[in-house]
Amino acid sequence: MAVKRRPIRRPVPYAYRPGKSTLHRLPGGLKLLGLFLISTLSFIFGPPALGLGTLLVIAASLAAKIRPWELLRGIRPLLVMALMVVLCRSVGLKPEGAMFLNTEGLEASLVFGWGILLAFCAASLFFSVTTMTEIKDSLDHLHLRRLSLGISLMLGFLPRFFTVWESAELAYRARCGKKGLPQLRTLIPLVMERMIVSAGETAAALESRGCLL
């Protein structure tokens, strides 16, 4: 009797991946600062900073034993948005109504899209090597309890969202659900409901500990 193999689950986007690399052992505050610098300076200084940031993210992911293309998990909706921006900004209209290629707009939109993708990958790498406890502990050193709590909860939303989405998507596919719009119509309300319930549970837990006073 043939034994059915269970499908190997792919890593959830923005989920922590245990490891002992140098990047894993770095202080959470230093990694958070690196994420902030890569995500902001690339938009300020343009292609040179984008190129340097891309090389840094690739090198850091390899050092953490994470294949660089795995950082793109979950990027499809953002990629569609970036493509729409490129199309809208690269097409211009002449006074007589004829369309033409706006090379300046195309260049600017490509740089913008590159920056968005780089920020996404940098954040994906950050959450892959940093636990939520590390993030909260590093923010607690600011001695601003409510601010550090708010920031850590905000950062924790992204990994939690992708985990809930992956679980709902797996359950949907197990029931042979159709892809495309039917999938979105089913998953979006379900995921929103689960995130609201999760937020309520988190708020109740924090309130019981006196963190929301």
Side-chain angles (χ1 to χ4, degrees), residues 173-193:
R173 290 182 179 178
R175 292 170 173 80
C176 301
K178 295 181 179 179
K179 294 184 178 181
L181 289 178
Q183 177 177 326
L184 294 178
R185 285 198 299 265
T186 302
L187 294 187
I188 290 176
L190 179 61
V191 171
M192 288 179 62
E193 179 184 358

Side-chain angles (χ1 to χ4, degrees), residues 4-144:
K4 292 183 178 180
R5 294 183 179 180
R6 293 184 178 180
I8 300 175
R9 293 191 62 178
R10 296 173 296 179
V12 177
Y14 280 45
Y16 177 71
R17 305 185 189 189
K20 298 181 180 180
S21 69
T22 302
L23 197 59
H24 281 83
R25 297 195 299 268
L26 284 177
L30 186 59
K31 289 184 281 190
L32 187 59
L33 177 62
L35 171 63
F36 174 77
L37 291 176
I38 290 177
S39 300
T40 56
L41 294 182
S42 58
F43 286 100
I44 298 175
F45 295 103
L50 286 169
L52 178 60
T54 301
L55 292 176
L56 287 174
V57 169
I58 293 175
S61 66
L62 293 175
K65 298 182 179 180
I66 299 173
R67 289 171 290 190
W69 55 87
E70 291 182 351
L71 300 178
L72 296 171
R73 287 272 295 136
I75 202 174
R76 186 180 300 173
L78 190 61
L79 198 60
V80 172
M81 184 197 72
L83 181 60
M84 291 178 63
V85 171
V86 172
L87 291 175
C88 291
R89 297 199 60 182
S90 60
V91 176
L93 288 176
K94 294 181 179 180
E96 60 273 15
M99 292 189 298
F100 69 96
L101 177 63
N102 185 348
T103 55
E104 185 177 344
L106 174 61
E107 181 181 350
S109 60
L110 288 176
V111 171
F112 173 78
W114 187 3
I116 291 293
L117 298 183
L118 176 59
F120 180 94
C121 292
S124 179
L125 178 61
F126 170 77
F127 285 110
S128 295
V129 299
T130 312
T131 64
M132 293 309 303
T133 301
E134 286 182 80
I135 296 173
K136 188 177 183 307
D137 289 344
S138 62
L139 291 172
D140 283 343
H141 288 113
L142 298 175
H143 301 292
L144 297 172

